[in-house]
Amino acid sequence: MGVHFRRQHIIGPYIADFVCLSKKLVIELDGGYHQLPQQQANDEARSLWLASKGYKVIRFKNENVLGDMETVLNTIKKQLDE
């Protein structure tokens, strides 16, 4: 897609799964524990903090990455094109 992503990159108090610094796009991959109420609250606070710093956060469930990579890549491409 013509951009560089960093893996496990520190942004403030957080570690992003993947980030494209030039586009300020954070990609988070969520396992099953992200469905727990406390983790959802933590994820929301994290996304809000990152947004306050100018980052766009998109999340994918692990199952989607493993089972429907084409949709995941199309979603990422769409975000990069914005």
Side-chain angles (χ1 to χ4, degrees):
M1 293 183 205
V3 294
H4 177 77
F5 280 88
R6 293 177 183 228
R7 183 176 173 271
Q8 298 292 299
H9 184 74
I10 296 171
I11 304 173
Y14 300 107
I15 299 174
D17 288 336
F18 298 93
V19 62
C20 176
L21 294 172
S22 65
K23 297 285 189 168
K24 294 196 103 171
L25 178 64
V26 172
I27 300 172
E28 294 292 325
L29 305 180
D30 295 343
Y33 71 95
H34 286 272
Q35 299 305 311
L36 299 173
Q38 183 57 50
Q39 189 58 46
Q40 287 180 340
N42 293 343
D43 289 345
E44 179 65 20
R46 172 191 182 106
S47 292
L48 288 171
W49 187 89
L50 288 165
S52 77
K53 303 301 179 199
Y55 289 89
K56 167 80 176 181
V57 178
I58 55 176
R59 295 182 168 278
F60 298 101
K61 292 181 181 179
N62 288 347
E63 301 85 50
N64 295 109
V65 173
L66 295 172
D68 191 7
M69 182 59 79
E70 184 176 343
T71 299
V72 170
L73 291 174
N74 285 335
T75 301
I76 294 168
K77 183 176 182 338
K78 182 179 176 183
Q79 291 300 318
L80 290 171
D81 290 340
E82 290 185 358

